[in-house]
Amino acid sequence: MGKKLVVYSFFAALLLFGIITGTLIAPEELTVNYIVFILAAPLLFTARTAVMNGLILSSMLLYIGLAFFAQHTPILSKNLVNVILYGVLSMLLTAMMMRSKLQRILYHKEKEMLEVSKRESQERILNYERFLTDMVRYAASEENPDKVLNQLVEYIGQRMTADRAYIFEQNDRGTFDNTYEWCKAGVSKEKDNLQDVPYEGIIEAWFAQYQESNNVIIHDIEECKKTSEAIYERLKPQGVNTLVTGPIKINGKMVGFYGVDNSPEEKLHEISNLIDMIEFMISFMIRLRDNADALEHSALYDQLTDCKNRKALDWAYTEKLEKYFPLAIVMCDINGLKEINDQKGHDAGDKFIVQTAQTLKSVFGKRHVYRFGGDEFIAVLPNITHPAFQKLLETAKSQLGATASLGTTISGTKDTDFESLLKAADVEMYENKKQYYIVTGKDRRKQTSHA
């Protein structure tokens, strides 16, 4: 304000001096003083065009009024036209100068804005590149996709300064499980509490919004209460105040979502810009994990019974068994399989094998049962006590009945090797098998068969 006052005062004094000099003091000098000062004024003043032209017009009218008041004939006859001519010229010059100045200002501002925008764009690109590079580095730092996904969730949570980061995946039942979770120190874990989450409700609403904006952002959970009581009641008890989630798509189908809780406001915008990149990396690693799981399952599991195969039992031959002590073995050989195959066909025989496998898995646990041969199975039970083993064995005998012959053994010392245990169980199974044929009166040679 002070600078404007100085400029206006200087301009007024300048015009007044020119007017008085050209009319009252030295009219014989024509309008030289007035014209010189009136033309110089636009170069010294920086007001807007309307203000400048208003001042110039006012000064012209003042000059003409004083000229008539002085009744000086030379002024009226020689200078009045010049005053009007040069005054109008000064107004045009002012308008042109101000227009040129405004264009320069706009140009520089636009250039500055473009440079700022360019710097911001470059910074965003570098930021995205660093983000992608870090995610790739995390992906390369672990030996399997499952661990990579845990690392990615941790990285996203830390990068977004969140309390919690997570991945939800749809299961075979159509509900959703929290499969990966990272929590900041001091933040309670919710993974175990978020299993079998129904699709109806929150997830259904989010999936609908993903179709439109590819993300869901909650800036304030209290504001969310006004639009969705259900979402509020679900999230508030978990301590959620802000939230960003994005979809996980595989082959164009949404199979889950990921998100972060309680990131600062500026991070919410950042993660919304990184949604596509994060989704690509997570979905890519989930596909790798699923493919790796499928390959591993194919290599280590029997196709017919879904029991583990001989290959999956390699650890028992190569590792020291002292850490599994006591280690128990149950050998199982199906009775009467050849008779079923001959009388009812191999499909019926396969069903019989599958039923036996299901019984063994239900008693001893799926991860402990292996298909050892065509109609032979083995259960390997690490770190089991004698009473617990006897209880399981009684259950197995009760459920299997005469459909299978069993042979069992349990390690007596920590240095017992697996092949010795296997041989002892096999001997007992062979004896029980022989007793079965004696009791039933069946010809063992005719019954011996492997499917």
Side-chain angles (χ1 to χ4, degrees), residues 2 36 54 86 129 177 196 208 230 234 240 263 275 298 337 352 377:
V36 168
Y86 285 106
E129 288 178 349
D177 296 330
D196 278 324
R234 183 77 179 189
V240 176
S263 288
I275 284 286
S298 177
L337 181 60
F352 190 36
F377 294 87

Side-chain angles (χ1 to χ4, degrees), residues 1-9:
M1 188 65 185
K3 290 181 179 179
K4 282 188 176 182
L5 183 60
V6 171
V7 172
Y8 278 103
S9 299

Side-chain angles (χ1 to χ4, degrees), residues 279-324:
E279 188 266 325
F280 167 76
M281 199 66 186
I282 290 178
S283 62
F284 177 71
M285 294 313 304
I286 287 177
R287 283 196 296 266
L288 284 182
R289 181 204 64 190
D290 292 346
N291 289 337
D293 290 346
L295 287 173
E296 180 181 15
H297 193 276
S298 177
L300 300 179
Y301 282 78
D302 174 57
Q303 186 175 1
L304 177 64
T305 63
D306 201 33
C307 293
K308 293 180 179 179
N309 58 23
R310 276 179 175 267
K311 177 66 177 176
L313 197 56
D314 285 349
W315 63 270
Y317 294 93
T318 57
E319 294 184 30
K320 292 183 178 181
L321 301 185
E322 59 183 28
K323 62 181 178 180
Y324 303 111

Side-chain angles (χ1 to χ4, degrees), residues 136-306:
V136 172
R137 178 170 55 82
Y138 270 90
S141 66
E142 293 295 344
E143 58 191 27
N144 63 63
D146 193 63
K147 291 183 178 180
V148 170
L149 285 163
N150 276 312
Q151 286 281 59
L152 287 179
V153 168
E154 178 181 353
Y155 172 67
I156 293 169
Q158 292 176 342
R159 172 65 182 269
M160 300 306 161
T161 323
D163 285 352
R164 182 171 173 263
Y166 44 85
I167 293 175
F168 279 74
E169 296 179 70
Q170 189 171 20
N171 56 39
D172 295 336
R173 298 176 295 280
T175 56
F176 289 77
D177 296 330
N178 187 175
T179 51
Y180 300 91
E181 179 189 60
W182 170 86
C183 293
K184 187 175 69 175
V187 176
S188 61
K189 298 182 182 298
E190 296 287 343
K191 182 178 178 181
D192 292 340
N193 301 326
L194 296 171
Q195 303 297 311
D196 278 324
V197 179
Y199 172 73
E200 294 75 15
I202 296 178
I203 297 176
E204 183 179 18
W206 285 354
F207 273 35
Q209 191 165 337
Y210 292 152
Q211 300 284 1
E212 299 178 5
S213 61
N214 210 35
N215 62 60
V216 172
I217 301 179
I218 297 177
H219 295 272
D220 185 353
I221 193 66
E222 298 301 330
E223 290 296 321
C224 177
K225 185 179 181 180
K226 300 176 183 178
T227 57
S228 177
E229 189 76 25
I231 293 178
Y232 178 85
E233 291 179 355
R234 183 77 179 189
L235 298 179
K236 187 63 177 179
Q238 300 175 31
V240 176
N241 297 313
T242 66
L243 172 144
V244 181
T245 72
I248 299 173
K249 300 176 184 177
I250 295 180
N251 297 326
K253 179 183 178 182
M254 283 189 281
V255 298
F257 62 92
Y258 68 93
V260 294
D261 294 344
N262 298 340
S263 288
E265 182 66 27
E266 63 272 14
K267 295 293 184 179
L268 300 183
H269 178 70
E270 180 181 358
I271 193 173
S272 67
N273 290 331
L274 294 171
I275 284 286
D276 290 338
M277 194 179 302
I278 296 172
E279 188 266 325
F280 167 76
M281 199 66 186
I282 290 178
S283 62
F284 177 71
M285 294 313 304
I286 287 177
R287 283 196 296 266
L288 284 182
R289 181 204 64 190
D290 292 346
N291 289 337
D293 290 346
L295 287 173
E296 180 181 15
H297 193 276
S298 177
L300 300 179
Y301 282 78
D302 174 57
Q303 186 175 1
L304 177 64
T305 63
D306 201 33

